[in-house]
Amino acid sequence: MKKVLVTGGAGYVGSHTVKELVKNGYDVLVVDNLETGHRKLVDHRAKLEVADLADKEKLKSIFEKYIPEAVIDFAAYLAVGESMEEPEKYFQNNVANFINLLDAMNEVGCKLLIKSSSAAVYGNPTKESDIPWQEDFTECYRPEKSALLSGNWQGKKIAGEEFFQCFLDHYNSIYADRPELKLSSDEIIKLRIPMSIYGVTKLLDEIVMKKYDEFCGLKSIVLRYFNVCGADPSGGIGEAKPKPTTLMTLAIWQILGRVPELSIFGDDYSTSDGSGVRDYIHPSDLATGHIKALKFLVKNNKSDIFNLGTGTSSSVFEVISAVEKASGGKVKYTIKPRRSGDPAISISDPRKAEKVLNWKAKYNLRDMAETAWKWEINNSKIKIQKSK
Ligand code: UD1
């Protein structure tokens, strides 16, 4: 049986992937610090080791004991807004801890990695033809200035190039004694594409992975997710955040009376109904995408990057309507100004994953709303306990 170590496997997408892995006969060890993950989300057939990727020695000893053939890494923070307020925290978890993971893998000779990335690496479309996003956009577009929006760096409000330079200096000072991690001028220009620190950390991880491939042969597949929503059809696992920020979950929470009303961030975009348009994808589809990527990596021993999306688009109003149909309720909302940092449209071109990995999403928006609703109803009965 193939051994796979899954970091962040007690989280939302991680727990769906762990379930799919054990279903496919893999021996799974989850490594999770349970900061945002939950013990109860981990499939009972998988093992769980509570550890933080910041603890390099513990991480190494886990690798030495378990000897995995491959790693799937989900352990990261993901809130775009928070990343602008606490960029150093995002640097530590999403970049420094990730480099610890790569070092531990390299030191024990585990050279296969699947890594979750995000559509946030694409930033804002520069022209109409950028949508749907294709993977090579980040290889072609070279902006002159950083697209970073306003944020907070050590108590100071900054944006754009100034913010970007602070982040870059931080990386350079921490890895000054690691010449193999030095960023080239082309890599630095590329890092100017994302609008958020979250997006920059994900793109930086992708760049760092390429470096590990070059200097020690660590092969990796990057999976760029679009907007994840929905839950496992069993109703047993789903998103379990104490303070959700994503649209579908908030729409459901509004119907359940957990939030007084939903804010719609802008109805004046040049989209079909004026609201923001996204490519929503079900976590069970992401889970099968990870298995296909893992099989591809084991077979071909070749690094690559894939979008994981449906290639279809839904507006905010369409998501609300899907939630109302699934629940039988009515979402109370008010129209608010546009949210800073939101692109009008983000849609994937999923054809590369279809062609190369033989993967295609099978759940639609209705399925996402129905399964998310079922999970929220079940979850309010289960009451997930913090087990740390
Ligand atoms: C989400 C992910 C982000 C990922 C991106 C990929 C999280 C917390 N965010 O961001 O990590 O990179 O998908 O595309 O998982 N909206 C409202 N009212 C609300 C909330 C949202 O109108 O209360 C609108 C937004 O303006 C947007 C759409 O709904 O048009 C989706 O927003 P959201 O669910 O927050 O996801 P993203 O910001 O796209």
Side-chain angles (χ1 to χ4, degrees), residues 349-379:
D349 183 339
R351 285 177 300 177
K352 186 176 171 192
E354 237 176 278
K355 199 169 148 217
V356 181
L357 300 179
N358 189 27
W359 171 87
K360 199 171 167 34
K362 65 174 196 189
Y363 293 94
N364 60 27
L365 190 67
R366 196 178 88 180
D367 304 324
M368 292 175 219
E370 285 174 355
T371 54
W373 175 253
K374 184 174 174 186
W375 157 252
E376 289 293 345
I377 297 297
N378 277 2
N379 191 25

Side-chain angles (χ1 to χ4, degrees), residues 78-80 118-120 198 225-227 245-248 250 262-265 276-278 280 316 339 342-343 346:
L78 49 72
V80 172
S118 167
Y198 168 69
Y225 313 159
F226 281 68
N227 283 59
T245 58
T246 47
L247 177 64
M248 185 177 281
L250 283 174
L262 177 77
S263 301
I264 293 185
F265 298 132
V277 163
R278 296 287 182 275
Y280 294 91
V316 171
R339 184 172 64 175
D342 270 348
S346 176

Side-chain angles (χ1 to χ4, degrees), residues 142-182:
R142 291 291 174 269
E144 277 168 21
K145 283 194 181 126
S146 167
L148 275 181
L149 296 161
S150 166
N152 171 29
W153 188 264
Q154 296 174 349
K156 206 174 140 207
K157 267 257 166 289
I158 45 176
E161 220 20 56
E162 193 188 357
F163 199 178
F164 181 69
Q165 284 305 327
C166 291
F167 186 87
L168 201 60
D169 289 348
H170 191 59
Y171 175 87
N172 288 336
S173 69
I174 291 192
Y175 296 107
D177 60 346
R178 299 275 308 262
E180 73 280 17
L181 295 182
K182 193 174 162 34

Side-chain angles (χ1 to χ4, degrees), residues 210-267:
K210 202 160 171 238
K211 294 186 180 297
Y212 275 77
D213 187 351
E214 281 156 13
F215 83 80
C216 67
L218 199 157
K219 303 289 173 191
S220 55
I221 301 284
V222 168
L223 299 175
R224 293 175 176 166
Y225 313 159
F226 281 68
N227 283 59
V228 194
C229 62
D232 186 67
S234 70
I237 52 174
E239 190 188 27
K241 295 193 178 67
K243 279 193 185 155
T245 58
T246 47
L247 177 64
M248 185 177 281
T249 307
L250 283 174
I252 292 174
W253 276 39
Q254 202 295 309
I255 289 179
L256 292 172
R258 295 182 192 159
V259 289
E261 65 177 16
L262 177 77
S263 301
I264 293 185
F265 298 132
D267 66 348

Side-chain angles (χ1 to χ4, degrees), residues 82-95:
E82 186 187 53
S83 76
M84 306 305 279
E85 292 311 308
E86 299 180 75
E88 284 167 298
K89 175 175 138 177
Y90 272 68
F91 179 90
Q92 179 58 41
N93 200 32
N94 291 13
V95 180

